[in-house]
Amino acid sequence: TQLLEQSPQFLSIQEGENLTVYCNSSSVFSSLQWYRQEPGEGPVLLVTVVTGGEVKKLKRLTFQFGDARKDSSLHITAAQPGDTGLYLCAGNYGQNFVFGPGTRLSVLP
Amino acid sequence: DTAVSQTPKYLVTQMGNDKSIKCEQNLGHDTMYWYKQDSKKFLKIMFSYNNKELIINETVPNRFSPKSPDKAHLNLHINSLELGDSAVYFCASSHSGEQFFGPGTRLTVL
């Protein structure tokens, strides 16, 4: 069974701070996605990383895929209240996806 | 235009009833999914269809029956609803390893 773990489970920070959340597995995935989910809505895809060691940037968000394609991190610079939400990572193998339990981020003004 | 749509958004029903949730995607994707998100927000895959054929069927009670009339639609029918079926159900479609989710259907079984 492919499992993904995310840490921390909860994170509450002040506006302007930096943060990093992690997604770890003992399994290798062909790709890994990060999603953000807001209350009452479906997860929204932020990024897909495919190559081991790959780094992608999306404005203030930096995503990294581990060299062994088993783990990933999401770093947010100068967090804003609009970044508040549930951050989910998902590993892809074939046509299957397995999701981590999520990191619930709260950015206080 | 909504990429992945689901109806209804909310569904409140009595235990023992039968209900359906509909899903449509206009992205032209071949693969569609149903997920269940529980109260702890854990998102778990239930079914996956590729071009109208079932390819993933996780350990789900056979009271749940997906139906795909064409590759743009994947509906979920649930028989004899139980209290534990209360959750948010998400439909998704995928292409090249990326998924796009619908807005979810919050099912409450009383």
Side-chain angles (χ1 to χ4, degrees):
Chain A
T1 304
Q2 312 253 37
L3 291 174
L4 278 169
E5 298 177 344
Q6 290 187 243
S7 60
Q9 190 178 358
F10 298 96
L11 186 57
S12 182
I13 60 171
Q14 291 294 131
E15 182 176 2
E17 291 183 10
N18 301 333
L19 67 114
T20 302
V21 297
Y22 300 92
C23 175
N24 297 291
S25 175
S26 57
S27 303
V28 176
F29 294 102
S30 54
S31 67
L32 192 140
Q33 292 82 41
W34 283 94
Y35 297 79
R36 181 169 66 218
Q37 185 179 17
E38 300 188 27
E41 298 181 9
V44 175
L45 180 66
L46 296 174
V47 79
T48 297
V49 285
V50 179
T51 307
E54 182 177 5
V55 176
K56 281 192 174 179
K57 291 193 175 186
L58 185 67
K59 295 184 182 177
R60 293 175 295 99
L61 278 59
T62 302
F63 304 86
Q64 185 161 8
F65 202 12
D67 290 341
R69 305 207 325 271
K70 294 182 180 180
D71 54 82
S72 180
S73 62
L74 158 59
H75 182 80
I76 302 179
T77 304
Q80 299 177 1
D83 296 327
T84 293
L86 178 68
Y87 288 82
L88 296 161
C89 66
N92 170 230
Y93 54 103
Q95 286 169 314
N96 205 347
F97 293 83
V98 60
F99 277 79
T103 292
R104 184 167 297 283
L105 173 65
S106 179
V107 182
L108 307 173
Chain B
D1 285 344
T2 303
V4 182
S5 59
Q6 294 178 229
T7 54
K9 174 78 172 168
Y10 300 95
L11 186 52
V12 181
T13 188
Q14 297 286 333
M15 220 167 48
N17 284 350
D18 303 337
K19 291 293 179 186
S20 292
I21 308 172
K22 294 186 176 181
C23 177
E24 177 181 1
Q25 55 97 3
N26 63 6
L27 297 167
H29 293 165
D30 287 337
T31 309
M32 295 184 71
Y33 304 80
W34 276 108
Y35 284 86
K36 180 180 180 180
Q37 188 172 46
D38 60 27
S39 57
K40 294 184 178 180
K41 302 301 182 186
F42 190 67
L43 202 61
K44 189 171 181 184
I45 193 168
M46 299 173 70
F47 301 103
S48 174
Y49 269 70
N50 181 262
N51 214 3
K52 300 195 300 174
E53 288 192 17
L54 180 67
I55 55 170
I56 294 172
N57 184 351
E58 294 295 313
T59 308
V60 177
N62 58 13
R63 297 182 294 104
F64 291 78
S65 52
K67 286 186 172 54
S68 182
D70 56 63
K71 75 174 192 177
H73 295 84
L74 181 62
N75 304 323
L76 183 64
H77 188 77
I78 315 170
N79 289 327
S80 303
L81 279 155
E82 298 178 357
L83 294 176
D85 297 333
S86 294
V88 182
Y89 291 85
F90 286 99
C91 176
S93 71
S94 77
H95 176 70
S96 298
E98 297 186 341
Q99 288 189 110
F100 298 86
F101 283 81
T105 295
R106 181 174 291 278
L107 172 65
T108 303
V109 183
L110 304 175

